[in-house]
Amino acid sequence: MSYFSRSFSPYHCCLFVLFLISNSILSYTSFPISIKILIVIIGILLPGIGSLFLKKYDRPQPPLTNLEFMPKIPLGVWILLIGLAFFFRFFQLTTYSVWPNYDEGWMGYYAVQLANHWSWDFLYAKSQIPPVYIWILGLFYKFFGSSLQTLWLVPSLLSLLALPIAYRAALAFFSRSFAFLFLVLLALNYWAWYTARLSGPMPKDHLSEFLIFLCLGLFLKAIRNNNFYRNYFWMGVSVGLSYYLLAFHWFCMALFISSIVMISNPAEKQNKLRHLLTYFVPILLFLAPIFWLEWTQKIFQTYYQFIGYKQMSSTYLSIFSNLPYISSLFWGVNPHVWYGPIWGGFFNPILGALFFVGFLELIEYWRQPVYFWLMAGFATFLVPGFI
């Protein structure tokens, strides 16, 4: 505990309070955009940048993410956590929305078609969505009937199923205490409840991402013990198969995971090439049907025409047009945006302030491997939000 207390100094507390006040003003006031930009600069950017130049105490080793700072979790706490996670995902399931939004509507339409007559299409709609979520929804419609309750039951179940997988994935990289803290935030955080009530890709994407990172953790542990070809083969299978689970950000995920696999390969140069070949061949085999569809049906040309309605003349305009998706994480969004809370953001001001403090820690200690890869992952997974 002394290590843990040293990791949170008065310096961190001052930053947290400043970020909390700034987030609260940005989230719950109606100031003009010029005033809010000034608050971001004065209350968040300048203190954050300035803190990186202050001389602080020496950080003890190991990193905080490897520290055991909690006693053994009692059984009663586990039961309470599971009960709360279940309650917030299923209580008054059909009252969150009075009617499905656009994405829920067309996904439900394809699921109804599958329930009546099954097909094995790999991609759906003009946006070329991977099939697994629609297949799952179609099976639920077939056995439980097509209704709004079934439409919103599926994402809630997937969100609940993601919790044990996420906890096990966190254990592969962090201490038991840190993994439990992550589980608590995932089970009880607003953004997890919010996305669990939307019948769309998000709950399925969360589950898929946690599965991939669990596979990555098991892979890294396996190659430390024995650097066998089969470890690379099954890691490649998991990444290739995940294309049919994830939406467009699969390419960012595959790039991030593949970078870790290549850098962490401890073999000699000749064996390293063989290992990487063993890893990439299954990925290409799983992508072969998509390559064939593109070659024969030009499926992605349809997608490019579909997104052409934005009429963005430059990357500069595209980035600024998608800023509401980034601001929705912390302060809320324009009410005309389909996904995201209007007030407070997916993170409330408290969690947003903690996020900013933690992000500054990542920047300052980026040379530690776990912090470096957390930063790299954060930057990589933000890319789809800007394009």
Side-chain angles (χ1 to χ4, degrees), residues 211-224:
L211 276 171
I212 291 298
F213 282 105
L214 173 58
C215 293
L216 177 63
L218 297 176
F219 165 79
L220 293 175
K221 181 179 179 180
I223 64 171
R224 283 196 295 267

Side-chain angles (χ1 to χ4, degrees), residues 274-290:
R274 294 175 180 174
H275 286 160
L276 295 180
L277 186 63
T278 307
Y279 168 74
F280 282 108
V281 165
I283 297 177
L284 294 176
L285 289 177
F286 274 104
L287 293 180
I290 306 301

Side-chain angles (χ1 to χ4, degrees), residues 164-223:
I165 296 173
Y167 177 66
R168 183 62 185 84
L171 282 176
F173 298 96
F174 308 125
S175 68
R176 191 171 298 274
S177 297
F178 209 85
F180 181 77
L181 180 61
F182 171 74
L183 176 64
V184 170
L185 292 175
L186 183 63
L188 305 181
N189 195 8
Y190 169 76
W191 71 263
W193 309 340
Y194 178 85
T195 56
R197 297 298 182 101
L198 295 173
S199 188
M202 287 182 283
K204 176 264 301 176
D205 288 351
H206 300 158
L207 174 61
S208 305
E209 289 159 0
F210 293 140
L211 276 171
I212 291 298
F213 282 105
L214 173 58
C215 293
L216 177 63
L218 297 176
F219 165 79
L220 293 175
K221 181 179 179 180
I223 64 171

Side-chain angles (χ1 to χ4, degrees), residues 87-102 104 148-149 151-153 155-156 189-200 202-203 328 333-335 337-343 345-346:
F87 173 81
F88 286 120
R89 283 160 177 77
F90 293 97
F91 178 68
Q92 296 186 343
L93 184 63
T94 59
T95 60
Y96 173 75
S97 299
V98 295
W99 198 250
N101 63 31
Y102 174 80
E104 291 175 319
L148 293 180
Q149 184 171 8
L151 178 71
W152 289 317
L153 174 66
S156 295
N189 195 8
Y190 169 76
W191 71 263
W193 309 340
Y194 178 85
T195 56
R197 297 298 182 101
L198 295 173
S199 188
M202 287 182 283
S328 67
V333 297
N334 187 299
V337 176
W338 290 340
Y339 295 116
I342 297 175
W343 302 98
F346 283 110

Side-chain angles (χ1 to χ4, degrees), residues 18-189:
L18 185 58
F19 292 154
L20 175 61
I21 294 173
S22 301
N23 284 339
S24 299
I25 295 174
L26 292 167
S27 297
Y28 303 119
T29 64
S30 301
F31 289 135
I33 186 64
S34 57
I35 300 297
K36 290 194 172 184
I37 291 176
L38 190 62
I39 293 172
V40 171
I41 294 174
I42 297 176
I44 296 176
L45 292 181
L46 289 181
I49 295 173
S51 69
L52 299 177
F53 295 94
L54 295 177
K55 181 175 177 60
K56 295 175 283 294
Y57 58 88
D58 293 331
R59 168 74 67 177
Q61 298 292 333
L64 180 62
T65 51
N66 295 342
L67 175 68
E68 293 293 352
F69 52 86
M70 291 184 182
K72 183 178 180 180
I73 309 301
L75 178 61
V77 174
W78 284 105
I79 295 174
L80 177 62
L81 180 61
I82 294 172
L84 289 174
F86 189 91
F87 173 81
F88 286 120
R89 283 160 177 77
F90 293 97
F91 178 68
Q92 296 186 343
L93 184 63
T94 59
T95 60
Y96 173 75
S97 299
V98 295
W99 198 250
N101 63 31
Y102 174 80
D103 286 344
E104 291 175 319
W106 68 257
M107 286 191 178
Y109 166 78
Y110 284 112
V112 169
Q113 300 304 310
L114 286 178
N116 294 329
H117 180 73
W118 192 266
S119 66
W120 294 100
D121 294 333
F122 283 108
L123 299 168
Y124 287 89
K126 291 182 178 179
S127 52
Q128 307 298 334
I129 292 294
V132 173
Y133 182 78
I134 297 176
W135 289 352
I136 295 173
L137 192 58
L139 288 174
F140 270 77
Y141 276 2
K142 188 175 185 65
F143 291 104
F144 301 105
S146 55
S147 65
L148 293 180
Q149 184 171 8
T150 307
L151 178 71
W152 289 317
L153 174 66
V154 173
S156 295
L157 287 173
L158 293 178
S159 177
L160 195 66
L161 179 62
L163 295 179
I165 296 173
Y167 177 66
R168 183 62 185 84
L171 282 176
F173 298 96
F174 308 125
S175 68
R176 191 171 298 274
S177 297
F178 209 85
F180 181 77
L181 180 61
F182 171 74
L183 176 64
V184 170
L185 292 175
L186 183 63
L188 305 181
N189 195 8

Side-chain angles (χ1 to χ4, degrees), residues 136-380:
I136 295 173
L137 192 58
L139 288 174
F140 270 77
Y141 276 2
K142 188 175 185 65
F143 291 104
F144 301 105
S146 55
S147 65
L148 293 180
Q149 184 171 8
T150 307
L151 178 71
W152 289 317
L153 174 66
V154 173
S156 295
L157 287 173
L158 293 178
S159 177
L160 195 66
L161 179 62
L163 295 179
I165 296 173
Y167 177 66
R168 183 62 185 84
L171 282 176
F173 298 96
F174 308 125
S175 68
R176 191 171 298 274
S177 297
F178 209 85
F180 181 77
L181 180 61
F182 171 74
L183 176 64
V184 170
L185 292 175
L186 183 63
L188 305 181
N189 195 8
Y190 169 76
W191 71 263
W193 309 340
Y194 178 85
T195 56
R197 297 298 182 101
L198 295 173
S199 188
M202 287 182 283
K204 176 264 301 176
D205 288 351
H206 300 158
L207 174 61
S208 305
E209 289 159 0
F210 293 140
L211 276 171
I212 291 298
F213 282 105
L214 173 58
C215 293
L216 177 63
L218 297 176
F219 165 79
L220 293 175
K221 181 179 179 180
I223 64 171
R224 283 196 295 267
N225 297 330
N226 44 64
N227 198 29
F228 294 151
Y229 288 103
R230 65 170 179 265
N231 298 326
Y232 293 86
F233 173 79
W234 289 114
M235 190 67 230
V237 168
S238 65
V239 173
L241 184 61
S242 67
Y243 178 85
Y244 300 95
L245 298 170
L246 296 171
F248 309 113
H249 67 284
W250 176 86
F251 296 98
C252 295
M253 185 280 299
L255 174 63
F256 179 68
I257 297 294
S258 300
S259 299
I260 296 177
V261 170
M262 289 187 290
I263 292 175
S264 60
N265 191 338
E268 298 295 331
K269 183 176 182 179
Q270 184 177 4
N271 288 333
K272 181 177 291 189
L273 293 175
R274 294 175 180 174
H275 286 160
L276 295 180
L277 186 63
T278 307
Y279 168 74
F280 282 108
V281 165
I283 297 177
L284 294 176
L285 289 177
F286 274 104
L287 293 180
I290 306 301
F291 294 146
W292 175 253
L293 288 174
E294 171 62 17
W295 178 264
T296 58
Q297 302 179 24
K298 304 299 181 183
I299 55 174
F300 291 109
Q301 181 177 348
T302 304
Y303 169 67
Y304 295 141
Q305 293 173 351
F306 171 70
I307 63 174
Y309 77 93
K310 294 183 179 180
Q311 297 179 350
M312 292 301 171
S313 59
S314 68
T315 304
Y316 175 84
L317 291 177
S318 178
I319 289 175
F320 279 89
S321 70
N322 289 324
L323 280 180
Y325 290 103
I326 307 302
S327 64
S328 67
L329 295 174
F330 306 104
W331 311 303
V333 297
N334 187 299
H336 298 293
V337 176
W338 290 340
Y339 295 116
I342 297 175
W343 302 98
F346 283 110
F347 298 151
N348 58 54
I350 297 175
L351 291 180
L354 289 173
F355 177 91
F356 290 142
V357 173
F359 188 70
L360 292 174
E361 290 291 288
L362 288 183
I363 295 175
E364 185 169 1
Y365 299 101
W366 66 271
R367 289 182 178 83
Q368 296 189 19
V370 64
Y371 292 159
F372 172 82
W373 286 111
L374 283 173
M375 282 189 62
F378 176 75
T380 302

